[in-house]
Amino acid sequence: MKNTLYLLFLSLLSIPVFGQYAISNTEATTETVAIVNNAPDIAIIPEPVSVIKSEGYFILPSNVVIQAPATPELKQVIAFLQERLSIPTGSYVAEVSTPSANPTINLILNEKVNSALGKEGYQLLVTPNHITIKANKPAGLFYGAQSLIQLFPKEIESKEAVENIEWKAPCVEITDYPRVGWRGLMFDVARHFFTKAEVKQYIDAMVRYKYNILHLHLTDDEGWRIEIKGLPKLTEIGAWNVKK
Protein backbone atom coordinates (compact mmCIF):
# COMPACT_ATOMS: atom_id res chain seq x y z
CA MET A 1 0.00 0.00 0.00
CA LYS A 2 2.81 2.41 0.88
CA ASN A 3 4.51 1.74 -2.45
CA THR A 4 1.29 2.55 -4.28
CA LEU A 5 0.86 5.80 -2.35
CA TYR A 6 4.41 6.87 -3.23
CA LEU A 7 3.76 6.23 -6.93
CA LEU A 8 0.51 8.18 -6.79
CA PHE A 9 2.05 11.00 -4.71
CA LEU A 10 2.48 13.34 -7.67
CA SER A 11 2.04 12.86 -11.41
CA LEU A 12 2.87 16.32 -12.65
CA LEU A 13 4.44 19.65 -11.75
CA SER A 14 3.57 22.95 -13.44
CA ILE A 15 6.05 25.81 -13.12
CA PRO A 16 5.41 29.44 -14.17
CA VAL A 17 8.32 30.70 -16.27
CA PHE A 18 9.52 33.74 -18.15
CA GLY A 19 12.99 34.80 -19.16
CA GLN A 20 15.87 32.48 -18.50
CA TYR A 21 14.56 29.94 -15.99
CA ALA A 22 12.69 32.59 -13.96
CA ILE A 23 9.33 32.71 -12.22
CA SER A 24 6.39 34.92 -13.20
CA ASN A 25 2.94 35.25 -11.65
CA THR A 26 0.12 34.81 -14.16
CA GLU A 27 -3.63 35.03 -14.16
CA ALA A 28 -5.44 32.19 -15.92
CA THR A 29 -8.01 34.24 -17.82
CA THR A 30 -9.38 33.92 -21.32
CA GLU A 31 -10.84 36.72 -23.39
CA THR A 32 -11.80 37.41 -26.98
CA VAL A 33 -9.54 39.99 -28.63
CA ALA A 34 -9.89 41.59 -32.05
CA ILE A 35 -6.56 41.50 -33.90
CA VAL A 36 -5.49 44.75 -35.56
CA ASN A 37 -2.69 44.32 -38.11
CA ASN A 38 -2.00 46.59 -41.08
CA ALA A 39 1.27 44.78 -41.85
CA PRO A 40 0.79 41.03 -42.50
CA ASP A 41 4.42 40.91 -43.67
CA ILE A 42 5.55 41.46 -40.08
CA ALA A 43 5.65 37.94 -38.67
CA ILE A 44 5.72 37.96 -34.87
CA ILE A 45 4.82 34.74 -33.07
CA PRO A 46 2.31 34.75 -31.48
CA GLU A 47 0.54 37.47 -33.47
CA PRO A 48 0.24 40.62 -31.33
CA VAL A 49 -3.08 42.22 -30.49
CA SER A 50 -2.22 45.32 -32.52
CA VAL A 51 0.49 45.97 -35.14
CA ILE A 52 0.54 49.37 -36.87
CA LYS A 53 3.36 49.81 -39.36
CA SER A 54 4.71 53.21 -40.38
CA GLU A 55 7.26 54.37 -42.93
CA GLY A 56 10.95 53.74 -42.50
CA TYR A 57 13.30 51.49 -40.58
CA PHE A 58 15.37 51.55 -37.43
CA ILE A 59 19.01 50.79 -38.27
CA LEU A 60 20.95 49.22 -35.40
CA PRO A 61 23.99 51.43 -34.65
CA SER A 62 27.46 50.16 -33.81
CA ASN A 63 27.03 51.52 -30.26
CA VAL A 64 23.76 50.68 -28.54
CA VAL A 65 22.61 52.18 -25.23
CA ILE A 66 19.87 50.45 -23.25
CA GLN A 67 18.26 52.68 -20.63
CA ALA A 68 16.36 50.79 -17.93
CA PRO A 69 15.44 51.16 -14.25
CA ALA A 70 18.06 49.79 -11.87
CA THR A 71 15.94 46.90 -10.59
CA PRO A 72 17.09 43.27 -10.21
CA GLU A 73 13.99 42.02 -12.03
CA LEU A 74 15.17 43.64 -15.28
CA LYS A 75 18.64 42.11 -15.32
CA GLN A 76 17.63 39.15 -17.45
CA VAL A 77 15.73 41.38 -19.90
CA ILE A 78 18.84 43.53 -20.37
CA ALA A 79 21.13 40.49 -20.56
CA PHE A 80 18.92 38.96 -23.25
CA LEU A 81 19.00 42.13 -25.37
CA GLN A 82 22.74 42.55 -24.90
CA GLU A 83 23.39 39.00 -26.09
CA ARG A 84 21.04 39.08 -29.09
CA LEU A 85 22.06 42.56 -30.26
CA SER A 86 25.82 42.17 -29.84
CA ILE A 87 26.91 38.63 -30.76
CA PRO A 88 25.53 38.36 -34.32
CA THR A 89 25.84 42.05 -35.18
CA GLY A 90 29.17 43.01 -33.60
CA SER A 91 27.56 46.08 -32.02
CA TYR A 92 28.66 47.26 -28.59
CA VAL A 93 25.70 47.26 -26.19
CA ALA A 94 25.88 49.30 -22.98
CA GLU A 95 23.39 49.67 -20.13
CA VAL A 96 22.53 52.83 -18.19
CA SER A 97 20.04 53.34 -15.37
CA THR A 98 20.22 57.14 -15.20
CA PRO A 99 18.34 59.20 -17.82
CA SER A 100 20.31 59.37 -21.05
CA ALA A 101 20.07 62.15 -23.63
CA ASN A 102 19.41 59.77 -26.50
CA PRO A 103 19.16 56.08 -25.53
CA THR A 104 18.89 53.56 -28.35
CA ILE A 105 16.43 51.37 -26.45
CA ASN A 106 14.35 52.63 -23.53
CA LEU A 107 12.77 50.07 -21.18
CA ILE A 108 10.02 51.68 -19.11
CA LEU A 109 7.99 50.27 -16.23
CA ASN A 110 4.73 52.21 -16.11
CA GLU A 111 4.31 54.39 -13.03
CA LYS A 112 0.57 54.34 -13.63
CA VAL A 113 -0.68 50.86 -14.43
CA ASN A 114 -2.13 50.37 -17.90
CA SER A 115 -5.05 48.08 -17.09
CA ALA A 116 -5.29 46.80 -20.68
CA LEU A 117 -1.76 45.33 -20.54
CA GLY A 118 -2.10 43.35 -17.32
CA LYS A 119 1.00 41.64 -15.92
CA GLU A 120 2.45 40.33 -19.18
CA GLY A 121 1.41 42.87 -21.82
CA TYR A 122 3.65 45.49 -23.41
CA GLN A 123 3.77 48.39 -25.85
CA LEU A 124 6.61 48.44 -28.37
CA LEU A 125 7.40 51.55 -30.41
CA VAL A 126 10.06 51.43 -33.13
CA THR A 127 11.00 54.70 -34.85
CA PRO A 128 13.94 55.51 -37.15
CA ASN A 129 15.86 56.94 -34.18
CA HIS A 130 15.03 54.85 -31.12
CA ILE A 131 13.04 51.98 -29.60
CA THR A 132 10.75 52.14 -26.57
CA ILE A 133 9.20 49.23 -24.68
CA LYS A 134 6.65 49.95 -21.95
CA ALA A 135 5.01 47.48 -19.56
CA ASN A 136 3.45 47.25 -16.12
CA LYS A 137 5.74 44.40 -15.02
CA PRO A 138 9.20 43.02 -15.94
CA ALA A 139 7.53 40.03 -17.63
CA GLY A 140 5.90 42.43 -20.09
CA LEU A 141 9.23 44.06 -20.91
CA PHE A 142 10.75 40.63 -21.50
CA TYR A 143 8.00 39.64 -23.92
CA GLY A 144 8.34 43.01 -25.64
CA ALA A 145 12.06 42.33 -26.08
CA GLN A 146 11.22 38.96 -27.64
CA SER A 147 8.96 40.67 -30.18
CA LEU A 148 11.62 43.29 -30.90
CA ILE A 149 14.18 40.62 -31.79
CA GLN A 150 11.69 39.00 -34.18
CA LEU A 151 11.53 42.28 -36.14
CA PHE A 152 15.21 42.03 -37.12
CA PRO A 153 16.54 39.71 -39.87
CA LYS A 154 16.49 36.03 -38.89
CA GLU A 155 20.28 36.04 -38.58
CA ILE A 156 19.82 37.87 -35.27
CA GLU A 157 19.43 34.38 -33.75
CA SER A 158 23.00 33.41 -34.69
CA LYS A 159 25.40 32.38 -31.93
CA GLU A 160 28.30 33.99 -33.78
CA ALA A 161 28.98 37.13 -35.80
CA VAL A 162 27.28 37.36 -39.20
CA GLU A 163 28.67 39.50 -42.00
CA ASN A 164 26.92 41.45 -44.77
CA ILE A 165 23.57 41.83 -43.01
CA GLU A 166 21.73 45.14 -42.72
CA TRP A 167 20.49 45.05 -39.16
CA LYS A 168 17.23 46.92 -39.48
CA ALA A 169 13.74 46.64 -38.02
CA PRO A 170 10.57 48.14 -39.52
CA CYS A 171 9.03 51.13 -37.76
CA VAL A 172 5.98 49.84 -35.93
CA GLU A 173 3.76 50.44 -32.95
CA ILE A 174 2.79 47.19 -31.26
CA THR A 175 0.42 46.61 -28.37
CA ASP A 176 0.20 43.09 -27.08
CA TYR A 177 -1.08 41.13 -24.09
CA PRO A 178 -2.02 37.48 -23.60
CA ARG A 179 -5.40 36.35 -24.82
CA VAL A 180 -4.98 33.26 -22.62
CA GLY A 181 -3.46 33.48 -19.13
CA TRP A 182 -2.20 29.88 -18.97
CA ARG A 183 0.05 29.13 -21.95
CA GLY A 184 1.91 25.92 -21.30
CA LEU A 185 3.92 23.11 -22.82
CA MET A 186 4.49 19.66 -21.32
CA PHE A 187 7.92 18.10 -20.97
CA ASP A 188 7.64 14.33 -20.48
CA VAL A 189 10.62 13.43 -18.31
CA ALA A 190 8.93 10.29 -16.99
CA ARG A 191 9.34 8.32 -20.22
CA HIS A 192 12.31 10.16 -21.72
CA PHE A 193 15.54 11.29 -20.06
CA PHE A 194 16.85 14.81 -20.68
CA THR A 195 19.93 16.63 -19.45
CA LYS A 196 19.80 19.85 -17.45
CA ALA A 197 21.09 21.74 -20.51
CA GLU A 198 18.30 20.30 -22.67
CA VAL A 199 15.66 21.42 -20.16
CA LYS A 200 17.12 24.93 -20.16
CA GLN A 201 17.13 24.96 -23.97
CA TYR A 202 13.47 23.90 -23.95
CA ILE A 203 12.57 26.76 -21.58
CA ASP A 204 14.46 29.26 -23.73
CA ALA A 205 12.49 28.11 -26.78
CA MET A 206 9.23 28.42 -24.83
CA VAL A 207 9.74 32.00 -23.72
CA ARG A 208 10.70 33.14 -27.23
CA TYR A 209 7.07 32.51 -28.14
CA LYS A 210 5.63 33.75 -24.82
CA TYR A 211 4.65 30.44 -23.26
CA ASN A 212 4.55 30.93 -19.50
CA ILE A 213 3.95 27.49 -17.95
CA LEU A 214 6.38 24.56 -17.98
CA HIS A 215 4.53 21.33 -17.21
CA LEU A 216 6.95 18.63 -16.03
CA HIS A 217 5.47 15.12 -16.27
CA LEU A 218 7.42 13.52 -13.44
CA THR A 219 5.99 10.04 -13.08
CA ASP A 220 4.11 7.34 -14.93
CA ASP A 221 4.11 3.54 -14.86
CA GLU A 222 7.79 3.72 -15.87
CA GLY A 223 8.59 5.20 -12.46
CA TRP A 224 9.27 8.34 -10.45
CA ARG A 225 11.86 10.68 -11.99
CA ILE A 226 12.99 13.29 -9.47
CA GLU A 227 14.84 12.87 -6.17
CA ILE A 228 13.29 14.44 -3.06
CA LYS A 229 15.56 14.12 -0.04
CA GLY A 230 12.68 14.09 2.44
CA LEU A 231 10.91 11.28 0.60
CA PRO A 232 13.69 8.81 -0.26
CA LYS A 233 11.38 5.92 -1.13
CA LEU A 234 10.11 7.82 -4.17
CA THR A 235 13.40 6.99 -5.88
CA GLU A 236 14.39 3.89 -3.88
CA ILE A 237 11.14 2.13 -4.72
CA GLY A 238 9.06 4.30 -7.01
CA ALA A 239 11.74 4.85 -9.64
CA TRP A 240 11.66 1.21 -10.74
CA ASN A 241 9.13 -0.42 -12.99
CA VAL A 242 8.70 -3.86 -11.41
CA LYS A 243 6.38 -6.16 -13.31
CA LYS A 244 3.85 -7.82 -11.03
Side-chain angles (χ1 to χ4, degrees), residues 106 108 110 114 116-117 120-126 131-136 140-141 144 172-177:
N106 198 359
I108 300 174
N110 295 327
N114 184 332
L117 299 181
E120 298 181 348
Y122 63 89
Q123 293 173 309
L124 169 61
L125 177 64
V126 180
I131 295 168
T132 302
I133 307 176
K134 295 182 179 181
N136 296 327
L141 291 180
V172 291
E173 184 175 352
I174 294 174
T175 299
D176 194 22
Y177 49 85

Side-chain angles (χ1 to χ4, degrees), residues 23 33 76 88 110 112 137 148 170-171 176 204 231 241:
I23 300 298
V33 179
Q76 61 185 332
N110 295 327
K112 182 179 180 180
K137 299 290 184 180
L148 171 62
C171 292
D176 194 22
D204 279 344
L231 300 168
N241 185 342

Side-chain angles (χ1 to χ4, degrees), residues 88-89 155 160-167:
T89 70
E155 290 81 2
E160 56 187 26
V162 182
E163 302 292 338
N164 302 319
I165 297 293
E166 187 177 14
W167 300 107

Side-chain angles (χ1 to χ4, degrees), residues 20-21 60 64 66 75-94 105 142 146 149 155-161 167 204:
Q20 281 199 316
Y21 336 126
L60 189 72
V64 177
I66 300 175
K75 286 185 178 180
Q76 61 185 332
V77 182
I78 296 167
F80 168 77
L81 285 173
Q82 286 178 320
E83 178 185 359
R84 290 294 86 225
L85 296 177
S86 64
I87 293 177
T89 70
S91 294
Y92 174 76
V93 184
I105 301 174
F142 184 84
Q146 296 292 336
I149 294 303
E155 290 81 2
I156 199 75
E157 299 291 344
S158 175
K159 301 298 184 182
E160 56 187 26
W167 300 107
D204 279 344

